[in-house]
Amino acid sequence: MSQKTQEPVVNKLTELATQDAKWITLKRIDYTDQTGKDRTWEVATRKTRGKAGVDAPPSTLVVIQYRPPLDAYTVEWPAGLIDADETAEEAAVREFKEETGYDCKLVSMSPVQAADPGMSDANMKMAMVEVQLGESDELPEQRLDDGEHIQRVVIPLAEFYDRLVEYSKKDRFIVAAKLFHFAHGMRFAQTQKYM
Amino acid sequence: MSQKTQEPVVNKLTELATQDAKWITLKRIDYTDQTGKDRTWEVATRKTRGKAGVDAPPSTLVVIQYRPPLDAYTVEWPAGLIDADETAEEAAVREFKEETGYDCKLVSMSPVQAADPGMSDANMKMAMVEVQLGESDELPEQRLDDGEHIQRVVIPLAEFYDRLVEYSKKDRFIVAAKLFHFAHGMRFAQTQKYM
């Protein structure tokens, strides 16, 4: 496609009616996406914040996308909301296909976890999946919603932690905490002397 | 102290004024804490959700507390907001002392991570700290805010993942995603055949 693209720009932060909230508030972000289309996003934010291929090595697949709440590109594993008529397992396989284009095989599903317990009641499960990358350099077609622009990056597991630290140093890039904690746990188990 | 204690109970979920939000909303939770005192908590929530000692082995220290947004006891690492006049490093040591009673030594600090990128703009850093547990069974005094009731649990690293899975099976218990992902990363590095 020959769509015109540009860097996403946050144009305005608008306060929603939240007169009763003391610590957190809702904001609507009006932004222009990579194709020049004006869009909106709703975000919950705290009111208080201080300064402050074959033969390829075993790898993981991360997705990078512009996230309006952060005005930054996030490095994450594929994720999404569970539809009303599907199980967590079905949602994991569906979202992986939509965001990466690949069919995957479910290996395991975690218990329910609290996404960010001090601030929200959001919860999630983590699915471990296996995927066989194709032999060609051509990537399978994604099934993205209108407005989604998702880049796929294959990272060898041996470089996982270091690559996430590198991404964190890039301007306008931020790594999702769950992804970072998993990679950090791997590194910790491999390097610390006690175990 | 001979304070009367009881199981926390959620009494009411009250909708805040959020007429402009389509996907997320704010709610205030009125609840009664372990001492019988009525309290409130603000939470951002999605509108859409489907069905769906010495000689001790090397260990980690987790905190368990009632979290009104989830109406559950969460298993987490100590955490807190960074005050306006302190660094992330100072906040990590201060919060650890307040919630556990122990002095700790900062080992490393992670880059900034996105707490829950699809829903909020909250971000965080993870501090690795070392702490020497005392020889006696008596735990040091915590410096808790009014209304905080935090239980400390020492978990040997070799049992970390399995213990979190056990907590997840308990009624009204949920493990924080960041903690679970770290433990899962450790387990993955130790058990998978590729590395």
Side-chain angles (χ1 to χ4, degrees):
Chain A
M1 290 197 293
S2 63
Q3 262 185 325
K4 198 180 58 173
T5 68
Q6 62 181 49
E7 283 297 295
V9 185
V10 168
N11 299 313
K12 194 170 53 161
L13 270 174
T14 309
E15 197 86 17
L16 297 177
T18 53
Q19 52 268 57
D20 297 321
K22 185 175 171 195
W23 298 103
I24 55 175
T25 187
L26 298 183
K27 289 177 179 171
R28 186 180 63 233
I29 302 176
D30 296 304
Y31 72 104
T32 306
D33 75 6
Q34 286 94 328
T35 66
K37 188 168 169 55
D38 288 341
R39 297 181 179 282
T40 64
W41 191 283
E42 294 173 1
V43 56
T45 182
R46 292 186 197 282
K47 288 188 171 182
T48 56
R49 177 177 288 178
K51 69 187 171 190
V54 178
D55 291 329
S59 300
T60 188
L61 183 55
V62 302
V63 289
I64 299 181
Q65 62 196 298
Y66 175 71
R67 290 288 204 180
L70 294 150
D71 189 24
Y73 292 89
T74 56
V75 183
E76 306 174 63
W77 272 325
L81 299 176
I82 304 172
D83 289 340
D85 61 350
E86 69 181 354
T87 64
E89 288 77 5
E90 291 164 347
V93 173
R94 175 182 55 74
E95 286 283 353
F96 195 87
K97 174 80 171 181
E98 289 175 3
E99 296 194 0
T100 73
Y102 290 103
D103 291 306
C104 68
K105 191 183 115 192
L106 189 75
V107 174
S108 65
M109 182 65 81
S110 83
V112 173
Q113 306 175 28
D116 193 10
M119 180 170 180
S120 87
D121 65 350
N123 61 31
M124 47 87 51
K125 289 181 165 190
M126 193 186 89
M128 295 282 281
V129 303
E130 271 182 8
V131 58
Q132 202 64 49
L133 302 184
E135 293 187 43
S136 83
D137 287 338
E138 205 161 315
L139 294 170
E141 197 176 345
Q142 295 158 299
R143 297 175 184 174
L144 301 177
D145 290 334
D146 187 35
E148 282 191 310
H149 305 274
I150 299 181
Q151 186 198 350
R152 298 158 280 182
V153 179
V154 174
I155 301 179
L157 286 172
E159 304 170 16
F160 193 17
Y161 180 82
D162 291 335
R163 290 280 296 276
L164 296 186
V165 171
E166 271 172 41
Y167 272 119
S168 299
K169 291 176 181 164
K170 288 180 72 166
D171 190 39
R172 288 184 88 187
F173 274 75
I174 188 166
V175 178
K178 294 187 283 286
L179 185 66
F180 211 121
H181 277 63
F182 190 96
H184 203 157
M186 285 178 63
R187 166 61 59 98
F188 181 75
Q190 289 161 346
T191 59
Q192 65 118 15
K193 54 190 176 293
Y194 311 116
M195 305 186 66
Chain B
M1 289 197 295
S2 64
Q3 262 186 326
K4 196 181 63 174
T5 67
Q6 61 181 51
E7 283 296 295
V9 185
V10 167
N11 298 314
K12 192 168 56 158
L13 269 174
T14 308
E15 196 87 16
L16 297 178
T18 53
Q19 50 270 56
D20 297 322
K22 184 175 172 195
W23 297 104
I24 55 175
T25 187
L26 298 183
K27 288 178 179 172
R28 186 180 62 236
I29 302 177
D30 296 305
Y31 72 104
T32 306
D33 75 7
Q34 287 93 331
T35 67
K37 187 167 167 58
D38 288 340
R39 298 182 179 281
T40 64
W41 191 283
E42 294 173 1
V43 55
T45 182
R46 294 187 195 280
K47 289 190 171 180
T48 56
R49 181 176 282 179
K51 68 186 176 196
V54 181
D55 290 330
S59 300
T60 188
L61 185 55
V62 302
V63 288
I64 299 180
Q65 62 197 299
Y66 175 71
R67 292 288 204 179
L70 294 149
D71 188 26
Y73 292 88
T74 57
V75 182
E76 304 173 63
W77 272 326
L81 298 176
I82 303 172
D83 288 341
D85 61 350
E86 68 180 356
T87 64
E89 288 77 6
E90 291 164 346
V93 173
R94 175 182 55 74
E95 285 284 354
F96 194 87
K97 175 79 171 181
E98 290 176 3
E99 296 195 0
T100 73
Y102 289 103
D103 292 305
C104 68
K105 192 183 114 194
L106 188 75
V107 175
S108 66
M109 182 64 81
S110 83
V112 174
Q113 306 174 30
D116 194 7
M119 181 170 180
S120 87
D121 66 350
N123 61 31
M124 49 85 52
K125 289 179 163 191
M126 192 186 90
M128 294 281 283
V129 303
E130 272 181 7
V131 58
Q132 202 64 49
L133 302 185
E135 294 188 41
S136 83
D137 288 339
E138 205 161 311
L139 294 170
E141 199 177 342
Q142 294 158 300
R143 297 174 183 175
L144 301 178
D145 290 334
D146 187 35
E148 282 190 311
H149 305 274
I150 299 181
Q151 186 197 349
R152 299 156 280 181
V153 179
V154 174
I155 301 180
L157 286 173
E159 304 170 14
F160 194 15
Y161 179 82
D162 291 335
R163 291 280 295 276
L164 296 186
V165 171
E166 271 173 41
Y167 272 119
S168 300
K169 291 175 182 165
K170 288 180 72 167
D171 189 38
R172 287 184 89 186
F173 274 75
I174 186 166
V175 178
K178 294 186 284 285
L179 185 66
F180 211 120
H181 278 64
F182 191 96
H184 203 157
M186 286 179 63
R187 166 60 60 99
F188 181 75
Q190 289 161 345
T191 58
Q192 65 119 13
K193 52 189 177 295
Y194 313 115
M195 306 187 66

